[in-house]
PDB file of all heavy atoms in Angstrom:
ATOM      1  N   ILE A 165     181.144  58.481  74.210  1.00  0.00           N
ATOM      2  CA  ILE A 165     180.236  59.278  75.034  1.00  0.00           C
ATOM      3  C   ILE A 165     178.813  59.246  74.491  1.00  0.00           C
ATOM      4  O   ILE A 165     177.844  59.276  75.257  1.00  0.00           O
ATOM      5  CB  ILE A 165     180.761  60.727  75.127  1.00  0.00           C
ATOM      6  CG1 ILE A 165     182.111  60.738  75.846  1.00  0.00           C
ATOM      7  CG2 ILE A 165     179.778  61.623  75.872  1.00  0.00           C
ATOM      8  CD1 ILE A 165     182.839  62.072  75.786  1.00  0.00           C
ATOM      9  N   LEU A 181     182.987  53.951  80.679  1.00  0.00           N
ATOM     10  CA  LEU A 181     183.768  54.173  79.469  1.00  0.00           C
ATOM     11  C   LEU A 181     185.007  53.291  79.524  1.00  0.00           C
ATOM     12  O   LEU A 181     185.739  53.292  80.523  1.00  0.00           O
ATOM     13  CB  LEU A 181     184.174  55.638  79.346  1.00  0.00           C
ATOM     14  CG  LEU A 181     183.161  56.603  78.719  1.00  0.00           C
ATOM     15  CD1 LEU A 181     183.668  58.029  78.816  1.00  0.00           C
ATOM     16  CD2 LEU A 181     182.886  56.242  77.265  1.00  0.00           C
ATOM     17  N   TYR A 269     192.911  55.069  63.106  1.00  0.00           N
ATOM     18  CA  TYR A 269     193.490  56.052  64.025  1.00  0.00           C
ATOM     19  C   TYR A 269     194.079  55.359  65.254  1.00  0.00           C
ATOM     20  O   TYR A 269     195.187  55.688  65.704  1.00  0.00           O
ATOM     21  CB  TYR A 269     192.399  57.043  64.429  1.00  0.00           C
ATOM     22  CG  TYR A 269     192.848  58.129  65.377  1.00  0.00           C
ATOM     23  CD1 TYR A 269     194.014  58.847  65.161  1.00  0.00           C
ATOM     24  CD2 TYR A 269     192.075  58.455  66.496  1.00  0.00           C
ATOM     25  CE1 TYR A 269     194.408  59.867  66.024  1.00  0.00           C
ATOM     26  CE2 TYR A 269     192.465  59.466  67.367  1.00  0.00           C
ATOM     27  CZ  TYR A 269     193.631  60.166  67.126  1.00  0.00           C
ATOM     28  OH  TYR A 269     194.016  61.162  67.989  1.00  0.00           O
ATOM     29  N   ASN A 289     182.045  60.943  65.875  1.00  0.00           N
ATOM     30  CA  ASN A 289     181.650  60.833  67.284  1.00  0.00           C
ATOM     31  C   ASN A 289     182.552  59.858  68.033  1.00  0.00           C
ATOM     32  O   ASN A 289     182.929  60.083  69.189  1.00  0.00           O
ATOM     33  CB  ASN A 289     180.172  60.436  67.412  1.00  0.00           C
ATOM     34  CG  ASN A 289     179.876  59.042  66.893  1.00  0.00           C
ATOM     35  OD1 ASN A 289     180.521  58.572  65.962  1.00  0.00           O
ATOM     36  ND2 ASN A 289     178.887  58.379  67.462  1.00  0.00           N
ATOM     37  N   LYS A 290     182.948  58.759  67.363  1.00  0.00           N
ATOM     38  CA  LYS A 290     183.832  57.778  67.994  1.00  0.00           C
ATOM     39  C   LYS A 290     185.245  58.340  68.161  1.00  0.00           C
ATOM     40  O   LYS A 290     185.864  58.197  69.224  1.00  0.00           O
ATOM     41  CB  LYS A 290     183.880  56.500  67.155  1.00  0.00           C
ATOM     42  CG  LYS A 290     182.560  55.766  67.053  1.00  0.00           C
ATOM     43  CD  LYS A 290     182.685  54.502  66.238  1.00  0.00           C
ATOM     44  CE  LYS A 290     182.958  54.777  64.782  1.00  0.00           C
ATOM     45  NZ  LYS A 290     182.944  53.549  63.954  1.00  0.00           N
ATOM     46  N   ILE A 291     185.750  58.976  67.116  1.00  0.00           N
ATOM     47  CA  ILE A 291     187.105  59.514  67.175  1.00  0.00           C
ATOM     48  C   ILE A 291     187.173  60.703  68.126  1.00  0.00           C
ATOM     49  O   ILE A 291     188.120  60.826  68.919  1.00  0.00           O
ATOM     50  CB  ILE A 291     187.603  59.897  65.768  1.00  0.00           C
ATOM     51  CG1 ILE A 291     187.737  58.636  64.911  1.00  0.00           C
ATOM     52  CG2 ILE A 291     188.934  60.635  65.842  1.00  0.00           C
ATOM     53  CD1 ILE A 291     188.136  58.892  63.469  1.00  0.00           C
ATOM     54  N   ASP A 292     186.149  61.569  68.082  1.00  0.00           N
ATOM     55  CA  ASP A 292     186.109  62.704  69.012  1.00  0.00           C
ATOM     56  C   ASP A 292     186.135  62.215  70.457  1.00  0.00           C
ATOM     57  O   ASP A 292     186.833  62.783  71.311  1.00  0.00           O
ATOM     58  CB  ASP A 292     184.851  63.538  68.785  1.00  0.00           C
ATOM     59  CG  ASP A 292     184.879  64.316  67.475  1.00  0.00           C
ATOM     60  OD1 ASP A 292     185.961  64.386  66.857  1.00  0.00           O
ATOM     61  OD2 ASP A 292     183.835  64.837  67.078  1.00  0.00           O
ATOM     62  N   GLY A 293     185.352  61.171  70.727  1.00  0.00           N
ATOM     63  CA  GLY A 293     185.305  60.622  72.077  1.00  0.00           C
ATOM     64  C   GLY A 293     186.642  60.051  72.509  1.00  0.00           C
ATOM     65  O   GLY A 293     187.060  60.221  73.654  1.00  0.00           O
ATOM     66  N   LEU A 294     187.338  59.397  71.570  1.00  0.00           N
ATOM     67  CA  LEU A 294     188.647  58.819  71.879  1.00  0.00           C
ATOM     68  C   LEU A 294     189.673  59.915  72.163  1.00  0.00           C
ATOM     69  O   LEU A 294     190.478  59.802  73.095  1.00  0.00           O
ATOM     70  CB  LEU A 294     189.113  57.945  70.723  1.00  0.00           C
ATOM     71  CG  LEU A 294     190.440  57.200  70.920  1.00  0.00           C
ATOM     72  CD1 LEU A 294     190.353  56.233  72.093  1.00  0.00           C
ATOM     73  CD2 LEU A 294     190.826  56.459  69.634  1.00  0.00           C
ATOM     74  N   ILE A 295     189.632  60.984  71.364  1.00  0.00           N
ATOM     75  CA  ILE A 295     190.555  62.105  71.561  1.00  0.00           C
ATOM     76  C   ILE A 295     190.359  62.712  72.952  1.00  0.00           C
ATOM     77  O   ILE A 295     191.326  62.989  73.668  1.00  0.00           O
ATOM     78  CB  ILE A 295     190.351  63.168  70.456  1.00  0.00           C
ATOM     79  CG1 ILE A 295     190.877  62.641  69.114  1.00  0.00           C
ATOM     80  CG2 ILE A 295     191.048  64.476  70.825  1.00  0.00           C
ATOM     81  CD1 ILE A 295     190.571  63.538  67.935  1.00  0.00           C
ATOM     82  N   ALA A 296     189.090  62.884  73.347  1.00  0.00           N
ATOM     83  CA  ALA A 296     188.797  63.452  74.668  1.00  0.00           C
ATOM     84  C   ALA A 296     189.173  62.485  75.777  1.00  0.00           C
ATOM     85  O   ALA A 296     189.756  62.877  76.798  1.00  0.00           O
ATOM     86  CB  ALA A 296     187.316  63.816  74.764  1.00  0.00           C
ATOM     87  N   TYR A 297     188.873  61.211  75.586  1.00  0.00           N
ATOM     88  CA  TYR A 297     189.103  60.178  76.604  1.00  0.00           C
ATOM     89  C   TYR A 297     190.594  60.019  76.920  1.00  0.00           C
ATOM     90  O   TYR A 297     190.985  59.843  78.066  1.00  0.00           O
ATOM     91  CB  TYR A 297     188.518  58.865  76.082  1.00  0.00           C
ATOM     92  CG  TYR A 297     188.494  57.709  77.037  1.00  0.00           C
ATOM     93  CD1 TYR A 297     188.090  57.846  78.362  1.00  0.00           C
ATOM     94  CD2 TYR A 297     188.854  56.429  76.597  1.00  0.00           C
ATOM     95  CE1 TYR A 297     188.049  56.753  79.224  1.00  0.00           C
ATOM     96  CE2 TYR A 297     188.807  55.338  77.448  1.00  0.00           C
ATOM     97  CZ  TYR A 297     188.413  55.508  78.763  1.00  0.00           C
ATOM     98  OH  TYR A 297     188.371  54.423  79.606  1.00  0.00           O
ATOM     99  N   LEU A 298     191.422  60.122  75.867  1.00  0.00           N
ATOM    100  CA  LEU A 298     192.865  59.948  76.042  1.00  0.00           C
ATOM    101  C   LEU A 298     193.609  61.281  76.135  1.00  0.00           C
ATOM    102  O   LEU A 298     194.833  61.297  76.198  1.00  0.00           O
ATOM    103  CB  LEU A 298     193.436  59.103  74.894  1.00  0.00           C
ATOM    104  CG  LEU A 298     192.966  57.655  74.835  1.00  0.00           C
ATOM    105  CD1 LEU A 298     193.578  56.935  73.641  1.00  0.00           C
ATOM    106  CD2 LEU A 298     193.290  56.907  76.129  1.00  0.00           C
ATOM    107  N   GLU A 299     192.845  62.393  76.105  1.00  0.00           N
ATOM    108  CA  GLU A 299     193.421  63.732  76.265  1.00  0.00           C
ATOM    109  C   GLU A 299     194.502  64.008  75.220  1.00  0.00           C
ATOM    110  O   GLU A 299     195.618  64.431  75.526  1.00  0.00           O
ATOM    111  CB  GLU A 299     193.983  63.903  77.678  1.00  0.00           C
ATOM    112  CG  GLU A 299     192.936  63.701  78.769  1.00  0.00           C
ATOM    113  CD  GLU A 299     193.521  63.790  80.177  1.00  0.00           C
ATOM    114  OE1 GLU A 299     194.652  64.306  80.326  1.00  0.00           O
ATOM    115  OE2 GLU A 299     192.857  63.328  81.108  1.00  0.00           O
ATOM    116  N   ILE A 300     194.149  63.769  73.953  1.00  0.00           N
ATOM    117  CA  ILE A 300     195.073  63.987  72.839  1.00  0.00           C
ATOM    118  C   ILE A 300     194.901  65.404  72.314  1.00  0.00           C
ATOM    119  O   ILE A 300     193.779  65.831  72.024  1.00  0.00           O
ATOM    120  CB  ILE A 300     194.816  62.957  71.719  1.00  0.00           C
ATOM    121  CG1 ILE A 300     194.979  61.537  72.263  1.00  0.00           C
ATOM    122  CG2 ILE A 300     195.752  63.198  70.534  1.00  0.00           C
ATOM    123  CD1 ILE A 300     194.510  60.454  71.306  1.00  0.00           C
ATOM    124  N   SER A 301     195.986  66.127  72.170  1.00  0.00           N
ATOM    125  CA  SER A 301     195.903  67.532  71.751  1.00  0.00           C
ATOM    126  C   SER A 301     195.805  67.693  70.234  1.00  0.00           C
ATOM    127  O   SER A 301     195.186  68.633  69.736  1.00  0.00           O
ATOM    128  CB  SER A 301     197.118  68.318  72.272  1.00  0.00           C
ATOM    129  OG  SER A 301     198.325  67.752  71.797  1.00  0.00           O
ATOM    130  N   ASN A 327     198.486  57.914  79.743  1.00  0.00           N
ATOM    131  CA  ASN A 327     197.017  57.975  79.734  1.00  0.00           C
ATOM    132  C   ASN A 327     196.412  56.645  79.292  1.00  0.00           C
ATOM    133  O   ASN A 327     195.433  56.170  79.876  1.00  0.00           O
ATOM    134  CB  ASN A 327     196.538  59.096  78.808  1.00  0.00           C
ATOM    135  CG  ASN A 327     196.834  60.472  79.340  1.00  0.00           C
ATOM    136  OD1 ASN A 327     197.118  60.637  80.531  1.00  0.00           O
ATOM    137  ND2 ASN A 327     196.793  61.477  78.482  1.00  0.00           N
ATOM    138  N   ARG A 331     193.963  54.104  81.433  1.00  0.00           N
ATOM    139  CA  ARG A 331     192.667  53.636  80.930  1.00  0.00           C
ATOM    140  C   ARG A 331     192.652  52.119  80.758  1.00  0.00           C
ATOM    141  O   ARG A 331     191.607  51.479  80.916  1.00  0.00           O
ATOM    142  CB  ARG A 331     192.345  54.316  79.594  1.00  0.00           C
ATOM    143  CG  ARG A 331     192.226  55.836  79.655  1.00  0.00           C
ATOM    144  CD  ARG A 331     191.208  56.288  80.686  1.00  0.00           C
ATOM    145  NE  ARG A 331     190.997  57.729  80.626  1.00  0.00           N
ATOM    146  CZ  ARG A 331     190.220  58.405  81.463  1.00  0.00           C
ATOM    147  NH1 ARG A 331     189.589  57.754  82.438  1.00  0.00           N
ATOM    148  NH2 ARG A 331     190.070  59.704  81.343  1.00  0.00           N
TER     149      ARG A 331
END
Side-chain angles (χ1 to χ4, degrees):
I165 296 170
L181 276 174
Y269 180 47
N289 66 328
K290 296 181 292 186
I291 294 176
D292 290 348
L294 183 62
I295 289 173
Y297 187 44
L298 294 179
E299 301 177 16
I300 302 170
S301 58
N327 290 343
R331 299 305 186 184

